[in-house]
Amino acid sequence: FGGIEAVRDFVELADEAFFVGYSLAALSDSSFDSEFLPEELEAADRRMQQFLQGYVRGKFRNDRLQWIEKLPLNTWSRSEIGKFFALLPFTSEIWGEVDKLLGNSDSEYWTSVNPNPFEASDGMSLAIDKLIENNRPILALACLNKGIHEKIHFNVKQAERALLALLRNKELHEAANRHDVLNVIKALQQSPDADPEVVTKIEWQFLPLIDRDLNGSPKLLEHKLASSPEFFCEIVGLCYRSKNEVQEERRELTREEE
């Protein structure tokens, strides 16, 4: 039917390259594996990446781990192995293989994966820890929100760590999913195991977001403002800083930039 070049040409034209790869996985034997793997794993082309994900998932669906075990992974780089497993379903079965093959280099996987949290049926606590460790708090919050949605055990410490990690990165903070952030904050507010001081800090930092939510309120922050005169004065001081203080801060920033 034209061979590998015909497939590549078709991928470049296809609107849904994922389904091209998925269909090829069902129609062909494993002879096509070496035509795309691992060479195309580092490709920047969006359609090729979609095609690869479809192909890899199609092969995995048909033969599960038996197909992966036949691949010459021992000849691949750690980066290629990480990117390959990132194309597969986001499940504990895959995480086990990642740990076995990459060990302490598993960041090659956790920094590449863009998961659908609802694919995982167990082991989500491990995934959340790994995502936070690898500076992926947005995805960690998506996984936590999945647990909230399914009424699975809510890990307070993980929620606090994910939100605080998000606060440390302005770009990630701005790109975060508002729904996930608000749901995790609300779950913290309702948990008797949450650290009130940490939750108060989180409420303060996310106050603009909480204020825009019709059903949201900074409950612990309001309680502390009402019960602690010292804290109330501190917040008033932050909101109404003197012009001299602001100007001095700006001069300090200018000197640092020089």
Side-chain angles (χ1 to χ4, degrees), residues 36-63:
F36 301 106
L37 302 171
E39 178 186 356
E40 299 292 354
L41 288 167
E42 306 283 358
D45 182 75
R46 180 180 60 85
R47 282 195 176 91
M48 178 53 70
Q49 286 301 312
Q50 290 175 343
F51 166 81
L52 272 184
Q53 184 169 42
Y55 182 80
V56 166
R57 288 197 170 218
K59 284 294 185 183
F60 182 75
R61 181 181 182 276
N62 293 334
D63 299 317

Side-chain angles (χ1 to χ4, degrees), residues 2-258:
I4 189 64
E5 290 308 317
V7 173
R8 290 180 182 276
D9 291 342
F10 188 49
V11 169
E12 290 181 8
L13 297 171
D15 291 329
E16 299 290 347
F18 175 91
F19 295 107
V20 177
Y22 198 84
S23 299
L24 182 65
L27 295 172
S28 65
D29 57 26
S30 295
S31 61
F32 275 93
D33 294 353
S34 59
E35 297 289 349
F36 301 106
L37 302 171
E39 178 186 356
E40 299 292 354
L41 288 167
E42 306 283 358
D45 182 75
R46 180 180 60 85
R47 282 195 176 91
M48 178 53 70
Q49 286 301 312
Q50 290 175 343
F51 166 81
L52 272 184
Q53 184 169 42
Y55 182 80
V56 166
R57 288 197 170 218
K59 284 294 185 183
F60 182 75
R61 181 181 182 276
N62 293 334
D63 299 317
R64 308 299 296 177
L65 292 180
Q66 288 83 356
W67 173 65
I68 295 175
E69 290 165 358
K70 292 175 184 176
L71 294 171
L73 297 180
N74 61 322
T75 66
W76 295 13
S77 70
R78 292 185 178 276
S79 174
E80 289 168 342
I81 292 172
K83 287 181 170 59
F84 168 73
F85 278 97
L87 298 174
L88 288 161
F90 191 63
T91 64
S92 58
E93 180 182 34
I94 297 302
W95 308 331
E97 292 299 304
V98 167
D99 181 61
K100 184 168 66 177
L101 289 164
L102 291 177
N104 292 333
S105 299
D106 64 356
S107 61
E108 298 288 355
Y109 168 79
W110 292 105
T111 56
S112 298
V113 69
N114 287 299
N116 173 4
F118 288 88
E119 289 182 322
S121 58
D122 62 348
M124 190 61 87
S125 182
L126 167 69
I128 293 169
D129 277 338
K130 290 292 185 180
L131 290 168
I132 296 172
E133 288 169 16
N134 286 280
N135 197 31
R136 310 290 301 279
I138 293 177
L139 295 175
L141 289 167
C143 292
L144 283 161
N145 189 43
K146 182 250 189 188
I148 293 168
H149 176 76
E150 295 182 349
K151 294 181 172 55
I152 298 171
H153 172 68
F154 179 67
N155 188 313
V156 166
K157 294 303 178 186
Q158 285 183 330
E160 292 172 350
R161 286 171 56 217
L163 288 167
L164 292 174
L166 188 62
L167 289 171
R168 287 192 291 271
N169 189 314
K170 183 179 179 181
E171 289 184 8
L172 292 179
H173 187 177
E174 292 173 353
N177 183 294
R178 176 174 175 271
H179 177 73
D180 290 342
V181 172
L182 285 170
N183 273 3
V184 173
I185 290 175
K186 288 176 183 178
L188 277 177
Q189 291 172 330
Q190 295 167 8
S191 173
D193 299 323
D195 183 335
E197 290 298 320
V198 174
V199 179
T200 300
K201 176 182 178 181
I202 288 169
E203 288 180 341
W204 171 251
Q205 295 292 337
F206 284 102
L207 191 56
L209 183 65
I210 296 172
D211 274 349
R212 290 199 299 271
D213 181 53
L214 293 176
N215 298 313
S217 69
K219 297 178 181 179
L220 276 75
L221 179 62
E222 290 172 346
H223 175 75
K224 190 167 185 180
L225 284 169
S227 60
S228 171
E230 296 85 0
F231 182 69
F232 179 83
C233 291
E234 181 184 345
I235 295 300
V236 171
L238 287 171
C239 294
Y240 297 98
R241 298 163 65 190
S242 74
K243 292 181 181 179
N244 291 336
E245 185 181 353
V246 172
Q247 288 171 356
E248 180 60 32
E249 184 177 292
R250 286 174 179 168
R251 282 195 290 270
E252 287 292 333
L253 288 171
T254 303
R255 283 197 286 270
E256 287 177 9
E257 288 172 0
E258 292 173 351

